[in-house]
Amino acid sequence: MGAVSSKDFDPSAVYLEPPSGYTTPPFPSLYNPTNGGFYIYEPSVIWRYTVFWTLIFFGCVYVPTSLWGFLCLSLRRRSQRPQRAAAALLPLVFGAFAALTAVVSATAVGFALAAIYNAGYFSMSTWVPFLYGAAQARALYGGCLSF
C-alpha cells in the first residue's frame, strides 16, 4: 500500500452526491410514503431538518409545562404570591432552556444521522429527522417522569 497524500483526498466523496437536477426540498416536505417522496443528502440539510423538528417537538413539551408553572405561581393565595414579573419570566426561561437543549441534542443526532446515512451512501427521507425529533422529545419527557 502506498502512502495517501492530501491531493488524493476528494472532498466531494465525503457525502453522497445528490442526483443531477436535485434541489433541496423546502422544510418540512413530509409526504405520503406510498406516493414517492422527498430525500435529503447534504449533512448541513440533514442537521437543519433535525434541529427544526427537535425545536418543534421540544416546544410541544416545554410550552405546556411553562404555562402550567406560570398558572400555578400566579394563582396562589395573595400572601404566598411571588412577584408577577418572576412568574412571567418562567415561560421565557423554559423557552430558552428548551431551545438550548434542542439545538445541542439535535446537533449531536443530526450529524450522527448524516454520518451514518452518508457512510452507507443512502438517501435520507425527510421523515427521518421528523421521527428522530419526536424520539428525542419522547426521551426528554420520559426522563422527566422518572424522577
Side-chain angles (χ1 to χ4, degrees):
M1 283 197 149
V4 177
S5 68
S6 61
K7 62 183 174 185
D8 295 333
F9 178 71
D10 181 15
S12 65
V14 174
Y15 66 89
L16 175 65
E17 286 292 322
S20 61
Y22 171 79
T23 58
T24 302
F27 182 82
S29 294
L30 296 178
Y31 58 91
N32 182 353
T34 60
N35 296 336
F38 297 108
Y39 297 95
I40 48 181
Y41 298 90
E42 296 93 358
S44 62
V45 176
I46 294 170
W47 172 79
R48 188 175 69 231
Y49 271 57
T50 307
V51 167
F52 288 165
W53 280 118
T54 306
L55 282 168
I56 290 168
F57 283 114
F58 275 35
C60 292
V61 172
Y62 276 97
V63 168
T65 57
S66 68
L67 293 177
W68 180 258
F70 172 73
L71 289 174
C72 287
L73 288 175
S74 297
L75 299 177
R76 296 173 108 181
R77 289 183 283 171
R78 291 195 190 279
S79 62
Q80 296 178 344
R81 239 185 237 178
Q83 295 179 350
R84 289 216 185 258
L89 283 176
L90 187 65
L92 296 175
V93 171
F94 267 51
F97 186 72
L100 176 69
T101 307
V103 168
V104 169
S105 65
T107 296
V109 170
F111 283 127
L113 283 173
I116 291 167
Y117 271 77
N118 285 313
Y121 290 102
F122 299 123
S123 56
M124 179 182 287
S125 167
T126 54
W127 279 96
V128 173
F130 170 85
L131 294 172
Y132 272 89
Q136 288 181 82
R138 174 61 183 98
L140 171 78
Y141 186 69
C144 293
L145 294 178
S146 68
F147 286 108

